Amino acid sequence: MNMNDLSERLFKTLSHPSFLGMKALANEVPIFIQTYDPSQEDVLRRMAESLAIRLRNTGITLKSLDLFTLVLEELEDAGILDDLLRDETTSQKAEILETLQNYSDPKTHMIPRLIRAIEGDGAQLTLITGPGRIFPFLRTHTILESLQPAMLRHPVVIFFPGEYAQDPTG
């Protein structure tokens, strides 16, 4: 599917009052996954940005979050981002990966940060980009599993590079 068609389909779906009101969800968590071709990462980010602007122009209050940016904020708040960047060329890849995994741990770091970002200021919708940019130190299924118990008050759409299939057992 080309990005213009995807943008148009998403605009119609995401701006519909029944979607925003989470009608017919049968008490399911309002998290939706939109897949795309990973080679289209830059095009997708631009499309998501313009989609967010278009939705805001219709009066919808929304959050637009990038997981990579949230990880950088976590590293910066911990006071290690500059050190990590400075030492990147001399550190072992395994050491860097371990540090990134520690500071992006879903339960202690990323999910609390993500939930605070999602639930702040009364948004009607949240769009999340960047899961491909944080792979392999944080995986999308881990984020989804950690978000499941959260009492989300509005729909959340995660843009996922590649194929995504939910396990039929949950």
Side-chain angles (χ1 to χ4, degrees):
M1 174 180 287
N2 87 33
M3 284 296 167
N4 288 334
D5 293 344
L6 177 60
S7 179
E8 204 50 44
R9 183 177 60 80
L10 286 172
F11 178 77
K12 288 177 182 172
T13 301
L14 302 181
S15 63
H16 198 279
S18 64
F19 180 84
L20 292 170
M22 300 186 301
K23 305 289 187 231
L25 275 183
N27 293 324
E28 292 181 25
V29 179
I31 300 172
F32 303 90
I33 299 163
Q34 176 59 59
T35 60
Y36 63 94
D37 182 334
S39 69
Q40 297 291 306
E41 179 72 32
D42 291 336
V43 177
L44 179 276
R45 280 205 319 254
R46 286 191 301 273
M47 184 277 294
E49 289 170 10
S50 68
L51 176 63
I53 291 167
R54 204 169 155 204
L55 289 165
R56 284 185 184 109
N57 286 341
T58 67
I60 295 169
T61 306
L62 69 87
K63 290 273 190 171
S64 191
L65 303 172
D66 179 74
L67 294 172
F68 184 71
T69 301
L70 291 177
V71 169
L72 291 178
E73 289 171 1
E74 187 67 34
L75 295 169
E76 195 168 279
D77 289 352
I80 65 163
L81 181 59
D82 290 337
D83 293 340
L84 214 95
L85 293 172
R86 183 190 64 237
D87 299 338
E88 178 188 12
T89 58
T90 58
S91 297
Q92 296 290 328
K93 286 183 181 181
E95 291 173 5
I96 294 171
L97 181 61
E98 183 179 346
T99 300
L100 291 173
Q101 286 173 324
N102 289 339
Y103 283 93
S104 63
D105 177 76
K107 301 223 182 321
T108 59
H109 294 282
M110 288 310 299
I111 295 306
R113 180 177 288 275
L114 186 57
I115 289 172
R116 283 191 308 272
I118 288 171
E119 292 186 343
D121 72 19
Q124 296 170 278
L125 173 67
T126 297
L127 304 179
I128 299 176
T129 58
R133 297 168 69 201
I134 60 171
F135 178 85
F137 58 89
L138 186 57
R139 297 173 184 260
T140 304
H141 79 279
T142 305
I143 294 168
L144 293 171
E145 288 171 1
S146 299
L147 275 178
Q148 290 294 330
M151 296 301 295
L152 299 175
R153 295 180 180 92
H154 63 265
V156 174
V157 177
I158 298 177
F159 292 94
F160 180 79
E163 303 281 322
Y164 191 91
Q166 185 172 357
D167 181 346
T169 63

